[in-house]
Amino acid sequence: LHSASGQFATAATDGIIHFWNAASGKEIGHTGAETDPIVAMSYSVDGSSLFAAYLGGSVLQWKVPDGTQIGKVMKHSEKMDALAVAPTGRELATGCRDDYVHFWDISSDSALPGKIRHGNPVLAISYHPDGHSIATGCDDHTARIWSLEKGEQSGEPFYLNGRATAVRYTAGDSELTVGGVEDTEVN
């Protein structure tokens, strides 16, 4: 959902991303089909494009609502599970099965130096709205907050009763909600 533009996107098993008008519920456009499964999506800050992470390790940027590809494919050698766009709109982060969060420059479609090492595959990512920290959810049943300036974990991990597959900062920016597929509670 991109609340400022009033649009949302859905990904289907046929590899097509559909763009919708939230108020009317009508489809406003879609992409072509991709054979690699879509694992995560995130709108650009201004809502004019959508980034999609594919299981095989690619990130594609799609123009909204006409569904044409923008820029080059951002390609990683590892499978991906998570994606988030920074509040500045200049970079994005991907969570991969190599246990790292990787960072990408959106304008050049290239990997940035520096990455954050988690203990297991990274399944969820959320930037704090101030852009100084990032939260991750992991296959090891933890969610963690990281300082982007230092590249270090801030505080102790949050433990769940299963894999942390969703992390999101609340509207007030002072709390983090964490959920998982095996845990029936949102923490």
Side-chain angles (χ1 to χ4, degrees), residues 7 17-20 28-31 47-48 62-68:
Q7 300 171 1
I17 299 171
H18 298 270
F19 303 112
W20 305 87
I28 57 175
H30 60 273
T31 67
S48 66
W62 300 100
K63 187 174 180 180
V64 176
D66 67 7
T68 56

Side-chain angles (χ1 to χ4, degrees), residues 91-172:
E91 74 177 35
L92 59 86
T94 56
C96 298
R97 294 191 182 174
D98 66 354
D99 305 346
Y100 283 95
V101 174
H102 297 268
F103 298 94
W104 304 83
D105 182 302
I106 290 173
S107 64
S108 68
D109 304 316
S110 60
L112 292 169
K115 50 191 173 184
I116 294 174
R117 175 133 167 61
H118 225 296
N120 282 276
V122 178
L123 305 175
I125 302 171
S126 181
Y127 278 92
H128 188 279
D130 70 9
H132 297 293
S133 62
I134 196 166
T136 58
C138 188
D139 197 46
D140 67 359
H141 301 202
T142 66
R144 301 168 191 261
I145 297 175
W146 305 85
S147 165
L148 290 173
E149 284 126 11
K150 297 177 183 177
E152 298 173 354
Q153 185 176 314
S154 301
E156 295 298 315
F158 304 98
Y159 291 95
L160 282 80
N161 293 322
R163 293 174 290 158
T165 56
V167 291
R168 189 77 59 221
Y169 283 96
T170 60

Side-chain angles (χ1 to χ4, degrees), residues 10-18 31-38 54 62:
T10 59
T13 56
D14 60 5
I16 298 173
I17 299 171
H18 298 270
T31 67
E34 294 290 324
T35 57
D36 196 9
I38 300 164
Y54 294 83
W62 300 100

Side-chain angles (χ1 to χ4, degrees), residues 23-111:
S24 69
K26 295 188 187 278
E27 183 175 358
I28 57 175
H30 60 273
T31 67
E34 294 290 324
T35 57
D36 196 9
I38 300 164
V39 294
M41 298 184 299
S42 186
Y43 272 97
S44 63
V45 173
D46 66 2
S48 66
S49 66
L50 180 99
F51 294 89
Y54 294 83
L55 181 61
S58 298
V59 175
L60 299 177
Q61 184 179 11
W62 300 100
K63 187 174 180 180
V64 176
D66 67 7
T68 56
Q69 186 182 333
I70 302 169
K72 299 176 192 168
V73 175
M74 292 176 247
K75 183 73 175 152
H76 191 275
S77 61
E78 292 290 327
K79 291 183 176 183
M80 288 188 196
D81 287 306
L83 168 75
V85 175
T88 62
R90 294 190 299 264
E91 74 177 35
L92 59 86
T94 56
C96 298
R97 294 191 182 174
D98 66 354
D99 305 346
Y100 283 95
V101 174
H102 297 268
F103 298 94
W104 304 83
D105 182 302
I106 290 173
S107 64
S108 68
D109 304 316
S110 60

